[in-house]
Amino acid sequence: VVYEQEGVFIHSSCGKNDDQDSLISGVLRVIEKENEVIVDWRPLDDTLDASNILCAGKDSSSVVEWTQTPKEKCSRGADRPSSYEAEWDMVTTVSFKKKPHSNGDATTHANGESKWSFLFSLTDLKSIKQNKEGMGWSYLVFCLKDDVKLPALHFHHGDSKLLIKCLEKHVVLNESPQDKRVLLVNSQNKSLSQSFENLFDEPSYGLLQKLKKDPYTVTMGRFSKVTNYIFDSFRLSDPSNQRRPPSEMADFLNDAIPGLKINQQEEPGFEVITRIDLGKQPEVSRREPVSAEEWAKNMDSEGRILNVDYIKRLIFKGGLCHTLRKEAWKFLLGYFPWNSTKEERANLQKRKTDEYFRMKLQWKSVSEEQEKRNSRLRDYRSLIEKDVNRTDRTNKFYEGEDNPGLILLHDILMTYCMYDFDLGYVQGMSDLLSPVLYVMENEVDAFWCFVSYMDQMHQNFEEQMQGMKTQLIQLSTLLRLLDSGFCSYLESQDSGYLYFCFRWLLIRFKREFSFQDILRLWEVMWTELPCQNFHLLLCCAILESEKQQIMEKHYGFNEILKHINELSMKIDVEYILCKAEAISMQMMNCKELPQAVSEILGIESSSVTPDSDTGEDESGAVFSCPTSSYQSISTPVIAANGTRDSTQQMSEAQSLAPA
């Protein structure tokens, strides 16, 4: 239910003893269900009994009544739960029959009650007529495409404009040239909604505002599945004009994300990158995940990690076995200091547990009345409940209704709102939390690990989206160095902004890989090896892998978006990790690396070299890392072509062994 308003009356004109209208008070709702949006009005005392619900039928000349088919009655029985789900079950199996025209009188059923309930789909809406300003209560009259006019709805409590705003998120409404009181439903929107598979539910101006306010919802499934109809929606122009200006999509994104300037012109502060020969990408292999035995060998009797750089390189090259994740992730995310002892960590957990439950008590103790007066807290709760209900349930940890995993997700996210009330909750954060909670299996530990993760990711979710702007600019810079020809091709197809990578960056590939693969990918990225912004090189690796198909098949704007979106759950995580590492080595081996790229990768500040754990030469000077520093930890291996080689034996360099 996306809109609900009580105090919406039908003036039925059925009074028996006088000329006054009989006022029937009801509730008006707008309901989103699968690929359809429904407007529903019913009297306050109405029920879900099939005999009490009136609906506008597509082939009717008046309001029609629907009843269950005999099969429906037999299979489902008379008793039905009072919920919209139950109602929708009935709607999908309905048979229509013509209802006798009542000449304005209310329909009277056997129980003597007047039943005026109706519902209709927005796809059947033709126009909405409004009252003249200053003429009593505001009212709206819905006219359907078969010229059926439904009873006027009178808003005794006002707020009819809120309904119009709600409907404008789903259909385009324009004033009629003949009568300014009549709002016509733009016919383009039906084809738009059908062709998008209900991915875009609003006109262009609404989309722009929503992209600024809520980038997650716009980009998760909608922005990456757009079709040709999007350009008609943006322009609302003559459909005969199908050619789009070359910079149209760039202008749209620039308006949606203020300050975003990528590829279309030189970015201030960035040097122009000319074509540089990076040389051949080296062969890269990966090893098996770090075992519990390896982890224990690198820890002293008091629980300190002996050689942090060494253990990070092991994790980067192979990830962690699952039994280690619960402990190791706390170090990787910064919840536990790497140099802490077991006793220090136990004391830290005790303090953090007390702090967590104090914050949790803050929102748990807020009464309903207090929450009504705190719009931000109310909005946070609403968004969290919506997101948690659609949480990725690919693991048993989140299966079933009233599942403890889902309840903990909700509680942790609400507590995070208390921890950082200014940022609060933004859609997409639950995607970052769910794998962490799955691994930790502990409310307090999951919360503080999530806090540490959000310290890295918070700029992605801030209102100005500065983190997203910066990352898209940096990704464009890296890709241009790697393959300027591919960048030029993307620009020629209005795709130079790399907006199709938005979802990847926003929630760190959470929707692109399987649940188990994302655990491996994240722990590798958290090592912060082999350079800064390794996640951008992962993007480059995926795009380079798809370049041939995109260019050989001459994919245009729409096809590129569709193709990238359909990669979800089809990417080999080990292959992409190998390829991204190879790209990093290729760039760090380049002697003429542009300054802009060096800054993005943080190469100048690197202190790890192939032959030294300290980053110092014989003179004690610290120098940068032009080559890979973890090649010797690799067996059994997975090569860049995705095949496993079990013949290569492990050869750990002496300099990389634990102290």
Side-chain angles (χ1 to χ4, degrees):
V1 178
V2 295
Y3 171 90
E4 185 172 30
Q5 177 68 36
E6 293 185 7
V8 180
F9 287 74
I10 286 180
H11 297 194
S12 64
S13 302
C14 62
K16 300 298 182 182
N17 301 322
D18 52 52
D19 295 328
Q20 297 296 318
D21 283 352
S22 174
L23 305 184
I24 305 174
S25 177
V27 179
L28 181 65
R29 296 183 178 93
V30 178
I31 308 160
E32 287 184 355
K33 179 68 176 179
E34 297 176 351
N35 295 331
E36 195 167 19
V37 179
I38 294 294
V39 176
D40 177 310
W41 183 91
R42 64 188 56 220
L44 287 175
D45 61 347
D46 216 345
T47 69
L48 288 180
D49 184 347
S51 64
N52 292 339
I53 300 178
L54 305 179
C55 176
K58 295 182 179 179
D59 59 347
S60 67
S61 58
S62 64
V63 175
V64 298
E65 178 181 2
W66 64 266
T67 60
Q68 294 171 283
T69 62
K71 179 180 179 182
E72 175 72 6
K73 287 182 178 180
C74 295
S75 62
R76 297 186 181 270
D79 295 327
R80 304 192 59 83
S82 295
S83 69
Y84 277 95
E85 289 296 329
E87 178 183 333
W88 277 97
D89 288 342
M90 289 192 282
V91 168
T92 56
T93 56
V94 72
S95 63
F96 289 87
K97 67 178 182 180
K98 182 75 75 173
K99 179 188 181 309
H101 195 58
S102 60
N103 296 321
D105 292 339
T107 306
T108 303
H109 292 268
N111 58 10
E113 295 179 354
S114 297
K115 302 299 177 183
W116 287 77
S117 303
F118 63 79
L119 58 87
F120 62 88
S121 171
L122 280 188
T123 57
D124 295 324
L125 182 61
K126 178 181 179 182
S127 65
I128 305 172
K129 185 175 182 179
Q130 306 174 91
N131 63 306
K132 290 183 179 179
E133 292 187 7
M135 298 294 290
W137 287 310
S138 60
Y139 69 81
L140 299 175
V141 179
F142 295 107
C143 181
L144 306 183
K145 290 181 178 177
D146 53 3
D147 292 326
V148 171
K149 289 187 178 180
L150 299 177
L153 297 180
H154 296 257
F155 291 75
H156 288 200
H157 299 164
D159 292 338
S160 62
K161 291 183 178 179
L162 290 178
L163 174 63
I164 297 297
K165 288 182 180 179
C166 176
L167 297 182
E168 285 179 331
K169 295 178 181 179
H170 305 279
V171 293
V172 179
L173 299 176
N174 297 317
E175 285 187 358
S176 168
Q178 289 77 28
D179 187 347
K180 291 185 177 181
R181 291 189 300 161
V182 176
L183 298 176
L184 301 176
V185 178
N186 193 307
S187 60
Q188 288 181 346
N189 195 70
K190 184 173 182 180
S191 58
L192 184 71
S193 62
Q194 291 173 342
S195 298
F196 285 14
E197 300 173 347
N198 203 37
L199 300 175
F200 273 94
D201 298 332
E202 53 217 326
S204 58
Y205 51 88
L207 177 64
L208 287 169
Q209 295 302 316
K210 192 165 185 180
L211 184 57
K212 294 177 185 177
K213 183 178 179 181
D214 182 6
Y216 174 83
T217 301
V218 175
T219 59
M220 283 305 100
R222 304 176 181 191
F223 199 43
S224 55
K225 293 184 181 178
V226 67
T227 73
N228 276 317
Y229 288 100
I230 189 173
F231 300 106
D232 294 334
S233 179
F234 288 160
R235 294 193 298 271
L236 299 178
S237 61
D238 183 353
S240 63
N241 178 20
Q242 292 298 322
R243 293 188 62 188
R244 63 178 183 271
S247 62
E248 181 179 283
M249 195 61 211
D251 291 341
F252 162 69
L253 278 173
N254 193 44
D255 289 340
I257 310 177
L260 182 64
K261 299 175 181 178
I262 306 173
N263 290 348
Q264 307 299 327
Q265 56 183 327
E266 183 182 348
E267 177 67 16
F270 281 75
E271 60 189 302
V272 176
I273 297 176
T274 56
R275 187 163 187 169
I276 295 174
D277 183 10
L278 292 175
K280 187 178 179 181
Q281 284 184 10
E283 289 291 327
V284 172
S285 58
R286 291 183 58 76
R287 53 157 280 158
E288 293 293 334
V290 178
S291 67
E293 183 181 3
E294 287 176 303
W295 179 265
K297 283 182 178 179
N298 200 45
M299 187 175 288
D300 68 14
S301 60
E302 293 184 327
R304 293 187 186 89
I305 303 295
L306 294 174
N307 191 327
V308 176
D309 290 337
Y310 170 75
I311 204 70
K312 281 186 177 181
R313 287 194 290 272
L314 288 179
I315 296 171
F316 176 80
K317 292 298 293 185
L320 294 157
C321 66
H322 189 69
T323 56
L324 274 179
R325 284 180 172 139
K326 187 180 296 187
E327 181 178 3
W329 278 26
K330 296 170 188 174
F331 291 94
L332 290 169
L333 285 167
Y335 175 32
F336 284 171
W338 284 99
N339 62 349
S340 61
T341 65
K342 287 182 180 178
E343 183 179 358
E344 289 169 342
R345 294 194 291 270
N347 291 333
L348 174 65
Q349 280 184 299
K350 185 177 180 180
R351 294 196 307 273
K352 291 295 188 181
T353 298
D354 292 341
E355 187 177 350
Y356 172 77
F357 283 108
R358 280 199 301 271
M359 289 186 290
K360 183 174 180 178
L361 184 61
Q362 282 183 289
W363 67 265
K364 282 283 191 180
S365 61
V366 174
S367 67
E368 290 186 11
E369 288 300 319
Q370 289 174 317
E371 189 169 310
K372 287 179 181 178
R373 294 192 293 271
N374 190 326
S375 60
R376 290 184 68 183
L377 183 59
R378 188 171 63 248
D379 290 345
Y380 292 158
R381 184 191 293 275
S382 176
L383 281 173
I384 288 169
E385 289 175 352
K386 182 179 179 181
D387 260 16
V388 167
N389 287 336
R390 67 182 182 190
T391 295
D392 179 357
R393 303 193 185 195
T394 55
N395 273 272
K396 293 182 179 179
F397 191 71
Y398 301 113
E399 282 184 359
E401 298 301 324
D402 298 324
N403 184 280
L406 297 178
I407 295 171
L408 288 180
L409 273 176
H410 173 274
D411 287 1
I412 292 171
L413 292 170
M414 283 297 297
T415 307
Y416 184 77
C417 293
M418 297 294 102
Y419 177 82
D420 189 347
F421 198 75
D422 289 335
L423 180 61
Y425 181 79
V426 182
Q427 286 182 303
M429 289 182 181
S430 64
D431 279 281
L432 300 182
L433 172 58
S434 59
V436 174
L437 179 57
Y438 170 76
V439 167
M440 293 300 149
E441 297 181 302
N442 176 282
E443 183 176 1
V444 176
D445 289 344
F447 173 80
W448 289 112
C449 286
F450 176 67
V451 166
S452 297
Y453 199 9
M454 284 304 302
D455 287 343
Q456 303 174 28
M457 300 289 291
H458 69 94
Q459 284 189 318
N460 285 13
F461 298 95
E462 291 175 350
E463 186 175 359
Q464 298 302 316
M465 297 164 63
Q466 187 57 49
M468 296 304 301
K469 299 176 194 176
T470 301
Q471 288 175 89
L472 286 169
I473 291 169
Q474 292 174 335
L475 177 57
S476 176
T477 302
L478 294 174
L479 191 62
R480 180 163 294 282
L481 173 65
L482 189 65
D483 196 325
S484 60
F486 185 39
C487 276
S488 298
Y489 177 82
L490 293 175
E491 287 174 6
S492 72
Q493 303 302 322
D494 295 341
S495 300
Y497 276 98
L498 308 178
Y499 36 77
F500 42 78
C501 299
F502 196 100
R503 182 173 71 182
W504 300 357
L505 299 173
L506 186 70
I507 53 173
R508 285 295 192 270
F509 307 99
K510 170 61 170 57
R511 297 293 180 92
E512 315 314 316
F513 293 89
S514 69
F515 200 92
Q516 293 300 321
D517 282 350
I518 209 65
L519 304 182
R520 170 78 69 245
L521 188 70
W522 281 5
E523 62 200 14
V524 168
M525 288 193 291
W526 290 339
T527 64
E528 300 181 335
L529 293 174
C531 57
Q532 289 180 181
N533 293 309
F534 183 63
H535 68 285
L536 298 180
L537 298 183
L538 289 167
C539 294
C540 291
I542 298 172
L543 293 175
E544 189 177 75
S545 299
E546 303 303 319
K547 175 188 71 172
Q548 183 176 0
Q549 181 172 346
I550 290 172
M551 295 183 70
E552 286 185 355
K553 295 187 176 181
H554 306 290
Y555 282 169
F557 173 84
N558 300 333
E559 292 82 7
I560 293 172
L561 288 174
K562 183 174 183 292
H563 177 72
I564 295 297
N565 181 76
E566 290 176 349
L567 293 177
S568 179
M569 303 299 162
K570 299 177 183 177
I571 308 172
D572 185 329
V573 67
E574 297 292 345
Y575 170 76
I576 290 302
L577 283 170
C578 284
K579 193 166 186 65
E581 185 184 352
I583 292 172
S584 72
M585 295 169 63
Q586 185 183 24
M587 289 187 175
M588 289 189 287
N589 287 333
C590 178
K591 296 179 180 179
E592 300 177 349
L593 199 65
Q595 181 65 22
V597 175
S598 297
E599 290 175 358
I600 293 169
L601 300 182
I603 292 175
E604 290 183 342
S605 60
S606 176
S607 59
V608 182
T609 68
D611 302 316
S612 171
D613 287 329
T614 64
E616 296 183 358
D617 62 12
E618 293 180 358
S619 64
V622 178
F623 50 92
S624 61
C625 170
T627 58
S628 176
S629 59
Y630 20 77
Q631 300 172 29
S632 58
I633 312 177
S634 56
T635 186
V637 300
I638 297 174
N641 61 8
T643 61
R644 184 177 292 270
D645 180 4
S646 59
T647 60
Q648 182 175 343
Q649 299 299 314
M650 187 179 213
S651 60
E652 297 188 38
Q654 189 66 31
S655 62
L656 296 180

